[in-house]
Every structure is written in structure tokens, then in C-alpha cells.
């Protein structure tokens, strides 16, 4: 950075509401200003789209220039670094970046020490041992000592290690970066270890699941020695708030005093409903969080019970 105006209080601190964020003039646009918290996110694909929507909903605004893998956040001393999802855990674990979003499978495969800050609720799938349907493999231990092709060699070796020890054999694990599912059909492997989401690709290749190695989803991780704990905690709060907002709606209704107990059983809320007496004295106004998936069902139940003025409100973000 050839010319940067950086205040002494930048490192590790958030900027207060209304406080002007320092501007930076960088000779190399693909760099991070000194003292910024570096936040790695997937650079492309479905994970990137999910993460971008989550950051927008959490108020983490940024502008990414075309063809650049670095972007500065508008209101916080955070530098977003766009990386392949498979590399993020290693960068975080080695301290090159402070915090990141990637899959739990990537963390386990990378053999690095990171803090698992928050499960994000998307990108869920399973890392599975897959075998040809025609082979009818019902006992995965019969594959010990055989040939396995995978993009996850460390997790595969760890899975087969106790089976190898029990049988006194060594399973041959070969790494490939893509098209894992074709290995069995080509005679290159007895089984493959790969991620299964819907199973469409697996079934098209004539494979089936013989064992689950690991359940995974997208997670927020941080380096244990990061100097930006306050920013990491802020990110966790905001992302938690956004996740809650995507799962719940606020339902509001009026109910007579004699029907209140029955209504509260239908809408207990996430912690507890909010109950307000109305001026007439015969009714209560109730508001509570309900699962977005069950909102219409709850509205029907309340209507049939005798509630009136039943409304639902979308949430944009929360702090619980």
C-alpha cells in the first residue's frame, strides 16, 4: 500500500454508527488495507450466491470490482477475499485470513485448527462411500484393502484406517479432482468417496451409498489467534439474526380472554409470546414468532379457534 490514511484505532475495532470510515488509495487493488479483518468467502458457484445473499441481508455491504478477488466493506474495517471454497479452511487455519465461510468437509479434509463459529444452514450434504449397485455391497468393511478414488483423501484414509487395522490390509486411496463417480465404471476403483446432495449424479453413474463418512454444511470459521474477535462476534450476531429472519415470521392476532390459553398453545413463540391487553378488556393482542413453513397452518388454526385480525409480518433481520 503506497498511500493509505489509516487511523491508529483501525486494527481490531468496529466503527461507530455515523463515524466516517477511512478511505484507502491502494497501488495494488488486490490487497487489504493494514489492520483490516480479512474475511474469505467462496469466489463463485452456488455457495457464493448463498453467501452473497446472506451478507446483503446482514448489512455487510461491499463493492467488488470486475476480475478482482478483494473487496472492501463499506462500513467496517473488513476486507472480503474471494477464494475457492476448497482453499478457505487452510487460509483461515494458517492465519492468512481471519475468518471464512466454507464447508465442514473442507475443514476436516484440510487438517487445520479453526474455531467453528456458526452453522449457516445451507450447503448440506453427506460425504459417502459409493459403490456400484450391481455389486450389492452391504458391508463397507469388505472394501478394506481395495481401491478407492476420491477428492477427499484425508477423510477417506481416516474412515478406512480402523477397517484396515482390523483386517491387516491397506486400502489404496487415489486422489482425483473431478469426475469421481466415473472411476468405478472405468474399472479404476472398487468404490468412490464423494459428496451426495440429491443423489442424481450418483444414481446416473450406477452407484449407491454404502456408508456415510461425514455430514457437512456451510459454516463460519475463524482463526483461533485472530486479533479481530470483536469483528468475528459481530459477524456471528448479524448472520444469526439473518438466519432467524429467514426461518420465522411474526404472527399477530386478537383473541378473547377465554380462548387465550388455546391460542398460546398454537403460538408459543421462539421464547415466549408478547401479550397486550386491549382497552375493551375482553380481548388480548398476541404477537409471536412462528416457523415460516407453518405460518399459514397456524393462521387457519387461529381463525378456526376464534381469533381475529390475524396478520403475519416478514422479518429482515433479528437479534435474539
Amino acid at each position: 500500500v503506497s498511500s493509505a490514511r489509516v487511523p491508529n484505532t483501525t486494527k481490531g475495532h468496529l466503527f461507530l454508527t455515523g463515524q466516517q470510515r477511512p478511505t484507502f488509495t491502494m497501488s495494488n487493488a488486490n490487497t487489504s488495507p493494514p489492520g483490516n479483518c480479512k474475511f474469505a468467502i467462496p469466489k463463485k458457484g452456488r455457495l457464493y450466491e448463498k453467501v452473497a445473499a446472506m451478507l446483503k441481508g446482514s448489512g455487510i455491504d461491499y463493492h467488488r470490482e470486475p476480475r478482482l478477488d478483494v473487496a472492501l466493506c463499506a462500513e467496517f474495517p473488513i476486507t472480503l477475499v474471494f477464494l475457492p471454497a476448497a482453499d478457505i479452511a487452510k487460509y483461515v487455519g494458517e492465519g492468512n485470513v481471519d475468518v471464512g465461510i466454507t464447508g465442514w468437509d473442507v475443514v476436516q479434509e484440510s487438517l487445520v485448527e479453526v474455531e467453528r463459529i456458526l452453522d449457516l444452514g445451507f450447503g448440506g450434504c453427506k460425504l459417502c462411500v459409493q459403490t456400484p449397485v450391481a455389486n450389492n455391497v452391504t458391508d463397507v468393511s469388505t472394501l478394506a484393502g481395495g481401491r478407492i478414488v476420491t477428492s477427499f483423501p484425508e477423510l477417506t484414509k481416516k474412515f478406512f484406517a480402523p477397517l484396515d487395522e482390523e483386517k491387516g490390509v491397506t486400502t489404496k486411496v487415489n486422489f482425483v479432482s473431478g469426475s469421481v463417480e466415473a472411476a468405478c465404471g472405468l474399472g479404476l476403483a472398487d468404490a468412490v468417496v464423494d459428496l451426495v446432495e440429491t443423489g442424481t449424479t450418483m444414481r446416473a453413474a450406477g452407484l449407491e451409498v454404502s456408508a456415510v463418512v461425514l455430514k457437512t454444511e456451510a459454516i463460519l470459521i475463524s482463526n483461533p489467534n485472530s486479533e479481530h474477535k470483536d469483528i468475528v462476534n459481530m459477524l456471528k450476531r448479524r448472520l444469526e439474526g439473518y438466519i432467524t429472519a429467514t426461518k420465522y415470521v411474526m404472527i399477530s392476532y386478537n383473541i378473547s380472554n377465554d380462548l387465550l390459553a388455546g391460542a398460546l398453545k398454537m403460538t408459543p413463540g421462539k421464547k415466549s409470546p408478547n401479550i397486550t391487553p386491549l382497552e375493551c378488556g375482553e380481548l388480548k393482542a398476541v404477537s409471536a414468532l412462528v416457523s415460516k413453513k407453518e405460518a399459514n397452518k397456524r393462521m387457519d388454526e387461529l381463525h378456526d379457534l376464534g381469533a381475529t385480525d390475524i396478520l403475519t409480518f416478514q422479518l429482515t433481520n433479528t437479534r435474539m
Side-chain angles (χ1 to χ4, degrees):
V1 181
S2 59
S3 58
R5 293 185 283 121
V6 187
N8 293 332
T9 57
T10 299
K11 189 171 185 179
H13 294 281
L14 302 180
F15 293 101
L16 300 177
T17 302
Q19 183 177 352
Q20 185 174 1
R21 191 192 188 287
T23 57
F24 298 94
T25 303
M26 294 181 286
S27 58
N28 184 349
N30 251 0
T31 61
S32 175
N36 267 25
C37 174
K38 291 186 278 294
F39 183 7
I41 66 173
K43 67 186 301 180
K44 60 183 180 179
R46 284 183 296 173
L47 268 183
Y48 164 75
E49 294 170 0
K50 290 278 189 179
V51 171
M54 181 169 282
L55 293 180
K56 181 178 180 180
S58 302
I60 308 298
D61 298 322
Y62 64 92
H63 174 68
R64 183 185 182 186
E65 295 290 343
R67 300 182 181 277
L68 293 185
D69 291 329
V70 165
L72 300 182
C73 290
E75 298 180 11
F76 304 101
I78 299 174
T79 300
L80 291 177
V81 185
F82 300 86
L83 297 171
D87 296 336
I88 289 176
K90 188 168 288 292
Y91 275 95
V92 174
E94 294 179 354
N96 302 114
V97 297
D98 299 282
V99 62
I101 291 177
T102 190
W104 178 237
D105 56 307
V106 174
V107 174
Q108 292 292 288
E109 178 66 25
S110 300
L111 301 178
V112 292
E113 181 183 352
V114 298
E115 292 184 353
R116 186 171 182 168
I117 303 298
L118 181 65
D119 294 350
L120 300 178
F122 63 86
C125 54
K126 298 176 182 179
L127 184 66
C128 299
V129 180
Q130 303 170 35
T131 56
V133 174
N135 292 357
N136 192 29
V137 176
T138 57
D139 182 0
V140 73
S141 67
T142 60
L143 298 171
R147 301 166 302 157
I148 311 295
V149 166
T150 183
S151 299
F152 297 86
E154 298 298 335
L155 284 169
T156 301
K157 291 173 185 176
K158 182 179 179 181
F159 178 82
F160 279 98
L163 302 178
D164 286 355
E165 184 177 356
E166 181 181 340
K167 293 198 169 190
V169 296
T170 301
T171 299
K172 185 178 181 181
V173 177
N174 290 320
F175 171 81
V176 296
S177 59
S179 300
V180 173
E181 64 279 351
C184 292
L186 295 172
L188 303 177
D190 302 305
V192 300
V193 174
D194 202 11
L195 294 172
V196 177
E197 186 175 1
T198 64
T200 302
T201 302
M202 176 185 68
R203 289 188 292 271
L207 303 175
E208 63 182 356
V209 173
S210 294
V212 175
V213 176
L214 181 76
K215 293 182 179 180
T216 182
E217 66 174 299
I219 61 173
L220 178 70
I221 59 174
S222 72
N223 182 278
N225 301 313
S226 172
E227 297 180 357
H228 299 280
K229 299 294 186 184
D230 51 353
I231 293 180
V232 173
N233 289 334
M234 179 274 292
L235 289 171
K236 179 184 178 183
R237 286 195 305 271
R238 290 200 172 205
L239 293 176
E240 279 180 327
Y242 174 80
I243 291 169
T244 299
T246 61
K247 291 182 178 179
Y248 293 89
V249 296
M250 181 69 73
I251 192 167
S252 172
Y253 58 91
N254 296 333
I255 191 77
S256 62
N257 294 331
D258 59 319
L259 298 176
L260 178 62
L264 296 183
K265 290 180 180 179
M266 301 174 184
T267 58
K270 197 169 186 291
K271 294 181 180 178
S272 176
N274 183 44
I275 304 171
T276 305
L278 297 184
E279 189 172 354
C280 66
E282 299 176 355
L283 298 173
K284 295 288 192 302
V286 179
S287 59
L289 289 180
V290 297
S291 169
K292 186 176 289 188
K293 295 179 180 179
E294 298 180 352
N296 283 298
K297 178 182 178 182
R298 295 289 174 257
M299 293 180 78
D300 290 339
E301 291 173 344
L302 288 168
H303 177 271
D304 292 343
L305 180 66
T308 61
D309 307 310
I310 307 168
L311 307 172
T312 58
F313 303 91
Q314 297 290 333
L315 307 176
T316 57
N317 210 306
T318 66
R319 295 294 184 275
M320 294 294 174

